[in-house]
Amino acid sequence: MPQSDQKSRPIRSYVLRQGRMTEGQQRAYEALWPRYGVELADGQLDLSERFEQTQPVTLEIGFGNGESLRQLAQKQPEHNFLGVEVHGPGVGHLMIQLDQHQLSNVRILKHDAMELLRHHLQPGSLQRVLLYFPDPWHKRKHNKRRIVQDEFAELVHRALIPGGILHMATDWEDYALQMMSVLSAHQGFDNQAGEGNFSPRPETRPLTKFEQRGERLGHGVWDLLFERLA
């Protein structure tokens, strides 16, 4: 590969660890993707055409197995949810859950979230952006791969409506401090908990099994809620 191509390749905030899909997850892809899946073409994504109802849209980046997203969609039928995840088994698991609970307010993208934010979302198209427990890339030499950087803050700011919320959560204190630094430095956001303060976990964020296990082991969790200024 030419050296110029290597330099232009974007840094990914994830590593594909696909694993093997179960038979049920594979069947979900075949049967349910036409209902819940969204394919990205060139240009911007018109979210109003993707959902059955015209409602405020929440984007969850990296939904894992989709359990939190399913709970949110079930508890908040007055909202539409767009989930982005690159790992196939998690996508299949979420579609199974959506079908079992007959939820129609969720759509799924199997895509790089940064590419979505850079090229495919219309400005002011989202009411909320959720980033729960992203890969911490805890080794210092890998910190550059964390998704929360200056570009991320700017792209989320563009995608949110005025008054829209970016909600992040992590169980890595070092990453929490980086999140705080990046978002506090952006002039277009206001920390809902006050300058430099973390927020208590809002009731709207489901408590995951992963988080419950961490609490039993004495791990802390840090929530950050930033509002886009007008």
Side-chain angles (χ1 to χ4, degrees), residues 208-220:
T208 66
K209 293 179 181 177
F210 166 82
E211 186 176 354
Q212 291 172 325
R213 177 179 179 274
E215 286 185 344
R216 290 195 299 269
L217 295 173
H219 298 171

Side-chain angles (χ1 to χ4, degrees), residues 152-218:
F152 174 81
E154 181 58 32
L155 292 172
V156 170
H157 181 268
R158 183 179 70 184
L160 286 170
I161 62 171
I165 299 297
L166 168 62
H167 181 190
M168 300 176 289
T170 180
D171 61 339
W172 284 84
E173 185 175 13
D174 176 68
Y175 199 2
L177 293 172
Q178 178 178 325
M179 291 174 173
M180 181 66 73
S181 176
V182 169
L183 271 296
S184 297
H186 195 293
Q187 298 301 306
F189 284 102
D190 180 60
N191 186 342
Q192 288 197 321
E195 184 176 355
N197 293 328
F198 294 99
S199 296
R201 181 181 70 87
E203 293 183 0
T204 53
R205 181 170 72 78
L207 189 63
T208 66
K209 293 179 181 177
F210 166 82
E211 186 176 354
Q212 291 172 325
R213 177 179 179 274
E215 286 185 344
R216 290 195 299 269
L217 295 173

Side-chain angles (χ1 to χ4, degrees), residues 11-139:
I11 297 173
R12 301 295 187 192
S13 63
Y14 57 88
V15 173
L16 282 174
R17 297 180 291 268
Q18 292 290 8
R20 295 187 63 179
M21 286 194 292
T22 66
E23 291 184 7
Q25 290 167 351
Q26 187 61 50
R27 287 196 299 270
Y29 260 105
E30 296 169 1
L32 300 175
W33 183 257
R35 178 181 177 187
Y36 296 112
V38 174
E39 300 288 351
L40 282 182
D42 293 337
Q44 293 185 324
L45 180 65
D46 188 347
L47 294 177
S48 65
E49 296 179 351
R50 302 294 177 168
F51 294 93
E52 296 179 8
Q53 303 292 331
T54 301
Q55 302 179 140
V57 179
T58 294
L59 169 67
E60 182 174 4
I61 295 173
F63 58 73
N65 70 3
E67 185 60 30
S68 292
L69 182 51
R70 191 273 302 168
Q71 291 184 47
L72 284 168
Q74 194 168 14
K75 293 178 180 178
Q76 301 177 26
E78 72 280 7
H79 289 265
N80 290 328
F81 293 85
L82 178 63
V84 180
E85 177 57 66
V86 295
H87 300 292
V91 173
H93 184 270
L94 175 58
M95 287 194 292
I96 293 171
Q97 293 294 305
L98 297 177
D99 184 55
Q100 289 178 347
H101 293 275
Q102 291 298 294
L103 298 175
S104 61
N105 59 335
V106 179
R107 296 294 181 269
I108 301 170
L109 272 168
K110 190 174 182 292
H111 204 77
D112 180 354
M114 287 298 293
E115 289 299 304
L116 172 69
L117 290 168
R118 287 184 185 116
H119 304 300
H120 299 288
L121 284 181
Q122 298 176 353
S125 58
L126 302 175
Q127 185 178 64
R128 293 179 299 190
V129 174
L130 311 178
L131 181 68
Y132 296 157
F133 305 100
D135 194 323
W137 293 104
H138 58 278
K139 293 182 179 179

